[in-house]
Amino acid sequence: MKVTVLGKSPSWQDAGGACSGYLIEEGDTAVLMDCGNGVFSKLRRYRDYVDVDAVVLSHLHADHFLDLVPYSYALTYAPRQQPVPVHIWPGTDNPARPELHAPRGARETFRRVVGAWGNDDLIENAFHLREYDPDAIVEVGPLRFAFAEVPHFIHTCAIEVTSSADGAGRLVYGADSAPATELIEFARGADLLMIEATLPRPERGGMRGHLTPAEAGEHGARAGARRLVLTHISDELGDDWARSEAEQTFGGPVDLAHEGAVYEL
Ligand SMILES: [Zn+2]
Ligand SMILES: [Zn+2]
C-alpha cells in the first residue's frame, strides 16, 4: 500500500499547501481519503482524477471535503467526460463516477453547500454517494476501510486502512479528535499512525476537539504505533518544535507530514 500526502494543512492552507487529503494506492486501485480545500489540484499531480475509484471522508468539516466541489465540476464538465469527441478526447459513454463514502448526513450537508448557488445535486450526481455506517466495512478493490467514532465538534470517524495484498501493513488515520482512549484503542499496534497535531496548546475553553503535538505523541506511545506521523499542522507552528514535543512523549522518532511525502506499508 502506498500513501501519498496531498494535503496536511489544518483548516487554513500552508503557503502553497492544501488541507486534508491522502492518496492511497494498491495495484491499480486508488482511493482519496479526505478531500479538503486545495486537495484537487494536488491530486492532479499524482493521479488522473478519473482513475480514482473512491473518495472516503472522515467528517464533514470544510477542510476535509470542500474540494469535492471542483472535483464534481471536473467530473461533470471536463471535455473527456462528454459523450462526443472534444479536442483530443474521443468522447465516452461511460464517464468516470467514483464512489463517495461519506459520514451520515453528508447528502444534506452537500446539498446545503452547493445549493447556496442553486447546484443542489452537483456532488451526488458526480459521484456514487453512499453514507457509511461506522460499524460497517467499506471495501474498494483490495483496500478495506474500517471506522471508529472519535470525539470532535461534529460526528467524526478515525479510519483504518488495510489491504488484502501480501505483506501490506495497517494504516490508521486519526482524523480530527480530542484526546481519546477510543483513538488509542483503534490505533493499537498500527504500522503507521497518521495523527493530527493541530494545536500549539490545549483549547483554553469549551470542548476539546484537537490534539497538541505532545498529546499526539502520547497517543502514539499508548497505542504502541510502530511509526508516528503528525499531520493537520500549520507551517506557522514550527516543524522542529512540533517534532521535539511529540518525540518526548512518543519516546522515539516522529515524522511530520509534508505534501508529496510517500509512505509504503
Ligand atoms: Zn474537523
Ligand atoms: Zn480538520
Side-chain angles (χ1 to χ4, degrees):
M1 186 191 329
K2 178 178 165 188
V3 181
T4 305
V5 177
L6 301 180
K8 66 82 178 169
S9 303
S11 51
W12 65 102
Q13 290 108 316
D14 294 347
C19 295
S20 290
Y22 306 88
L23 178 63
I24 300 166
E25 294 167 290
E26 180 76 270
D28 293 336
T29 300
V31 174
L32 176 62
M33 188 167 68
D34 279 350
C35 188
N37 25 320
V39 166
F40 183 66
S41 78
K42 303 292 187 188
L43 171 66
R44 295 192 64 186
R45 287 189 179 173
Y46 299 97
R47 183 95 184 183
D48 198 331
Y49 60 85
V50 297
D51 290 332
V52 170
D53 299 285
V55 180
V56 178
L57 300 183
S58 63
H59 66 300
L60 297 170
H61 272 155
D63 52 322
H64 297 256
F65 82 86
L66 215 54
D67 260 23
L68 288 178
V69 176
Y71 199 163
S72 297
Y73 279 123
L75 293 169
T76 307
Y77 295 111
R80 67 167 117 178
Q81 291 279 87
Q82 309 310 315
V84 293
V86 185
H87 180 44
I88 59 170
W89 311 102
T92 177
D93 293 326
N94 293 300
R97 195 176 175 216
E99 298 169 15
L100 171 55
H101 299 278
R104 62 174 179 251
R107 186 177 301 270
E108 176 59 25
T109 297
F110 298 154
R111 283 184 176 180
R112 279 162 56 199
V113 171
V114 286
W117 57 93
N119 254 175
D120 304 48
D121 53 7
L122 173 75
I123 294 173
E124 64 198 71
N125 286 346
F127 293 89
H128 289 288
L129 172 60
R130 297 186 184 115
E131 296 185 6
Y132 62 75
D133 172 351
D135 293 328
I137 300 293
V138 169
E139 286 184 295
V140 185
L143 294 171
R144 185 176 181 277
F145 296 80
F147 306 92
E149 285 191 67
V150 290
H152 188 46
F153 304 111
I154 58 171
H155 169 61
T156 298
C157 289
I159 302 174
E160 174 200 71
V161 191
T162 52
S163 166
S164 61
D166 285 348
R170 178 166 163 259
L171 166 70
V172 174
Y173 167 54
D176 290 359
S177 178
T181 52
E182 302 94 301
L183 179 54
I184 292 164
E185 289 307 318
F186 188 60
R188 193 160 297 288
D191 294 292
L192 175 62
L193 173 58
M194 306 265 305
I195 189 165
E196 63 114 322
T198 302
L199 299 176
R201 62 185 68 79
E203 292 96 334
R204 271 167 278 192
M207 75 170 278
R208 295 289 317 267
H210 288 285
L211 300 170
T212 66
E215 289 169 337
E218 188 213 337
H219 280 59
R222 289 174 61 195
R226 297 172 70 157
R227 190 165 185 192
L228 190 69
V229 176
L230 305 187
T231 191
H232 213 25
I233 187 166
S234 169
D235 60 359
E236 296 165 326
L237 207 50
D239 283 8
D240 292 342
W241 175 80
R243 186 182 294 108
S244 80
E245 286 277 305
E247 287 182 343
Q248 282 174 40
T249 50
F250 184 56
V254 171
D255 263 13
L256 255 69
H258 61 88
E259 279 136 24
V262 173
Y263 298 95
E264 301 269 3
L265 72 165

